[in-house]
Amino acid sequence: EQQLKVVRDMMESAGFEDVVIEDRWWDEGDGEAKDTRRPDITAFNPRTRRRYVIDVVGAWAARAGGEEESGQRAAGHAASGKERGKELSYRGAMRRQDEGGLGWLVRGKAAAKDEFVPFGFEVGGALGAKAELFLAECVRVAEWKNQGVGDLAFWSSMTWGGHWRERIGVEIARGVARCVEKAATGGWGGSAATSGRHHEFDRDCC
């Protein structure tokens, strides 16, 4: 859950608007459809005038780049695989949005359809390809919003991006530590259905 919150904080710091966690109205339905989705974060990007839909997903990886014994995969490979899985799982929900579901496009605020971003990360701290692209977009939004005005005259995109990359890495490490502690103490009580959604590295996160 903390990984999700730090992504939200990053988006708010960048200047995204109307940031909502687990927006129950984004893919509104009676709950019977198997492909009904509740994204982790929805927010409006003022730079591109599009609503962004974020789903955070974690991936175990024995090595920084993946599970293969050779260790030749690039860092983020396992996270990118999880991102592709999320894209497949959101196809139905995104199609419903394109057909005129709830959202800013219907109300005339957005200039284009929703942008779905699966934000994948690995136990070692590497980000998936989609997460890296989104981090770069957050930097662009922050640059666009700040533009060196007033107290932000000495603002640096490199410093800002580095700060949030470090914050995300710290929360990933903390999540792993909590996971290890639970495994060591037998503190796995409950299930995803009873304990709520979370994104730490336990049996329910991946």
Side-chain angles (χ1 to χ4, degrees), residues 52-69:
Y52 273 58
V53 180
I54 315 296
D55 203 298
V56 181
V57 59
W60 280 106
R63 293 194 164 109
E67 299 290 348
E68 287 187 350
E69 188 173 345

Side-chain angles (χ1 to χ4, degrees), residues 59-124:
W60 280 106
R63 293 194 164 109
E67 299 290 348
E68 287 187 350
E69 188 173 345
S70 64
Q72 295 303 308
R73 292 182 179 180
H77 179 89
S80 294
K82 288 289 186 178
E83 290 175 340
R84 289 190 291 273
K86 282 291 184 180
E87 287 180 318
L88 290 174
S89 72
Y90 267 78
R91 278 184 175 178
M94 293 302 296
R95 182 172 60 250
R96 286 188 288 275
Q97 296 299 313
D98 293 347
E99 292 170 353
L102 297 175
W104 284 282
L105 182 59
V106 177
R107 301 206 301 267
K109 184 174 182 179
K113 64 182 182 180
D114 293 352
E115 176 81 12
F116 176 61
V117 178
F119 193 97
F121 62 90
E122 294 179 357
V123 64

Side-chain angles (χ1 to χ4, degrees), residues 11-58:
M11 295 174 70
E12 290 180 339
S13 174
F16 279 79
E17 301 170 0
D18 303 311
V19 182
V20 178
I21 286 184
E22 295 190 353
D23 184 356
R24 60 180 299 202
W25 303 112
W26 179 77
D27 190 23
E28 185 182 8
D30 56 14
E32 295 180 0
K34 292 183 178 180
D35 64 347
T36 298
R37 294 289 177 265
R38 181 181 295 183
D40 290 320
I41 304 170
T42 57
F44 183 71
N45 183 338
R47 189 185 78 86
T48 62
R49 297 188 57 76
R50 297 181 71 176
R51 179 170 60 173
Y52 273 58
V53 180
I54 315 296
D55 203 298
V56 181
V57 59

Side-chain angles (χ1 to χ4, degrees), residues 126-195:
L127 300 180
K130 297 293 185 179
E132 288 285 0
L133 289 173
F134 180 65
L135 184 58
E137 176 58 23
C138 286
V139 172
R140 286 190 288 270
V141 172
E143 289 176 330
W144 182 80
K145 291 281 285 189
N146 292 335
Q147 297 184 14
V149 178
D151 292 339
L152 298 173
F154 300 103
W155 181 88
S156 164
S157 62
M158 183 176 297
T159 300
W160 188 92
H163 165 76
W164 285 104
R165 183 180 292 276
E166 183 176 341
R167 282 277 305 275
I168 292 169
V170 167
E171 289 305 331
I172 292 172
R174 287 176 175 170
V176 173
R178 286 188 287 266
C179 176
V180 172
E181 181 181 6
K182 286 181 181 179
T185 61
W188 292 106
S191 65
T194 59
S195 61

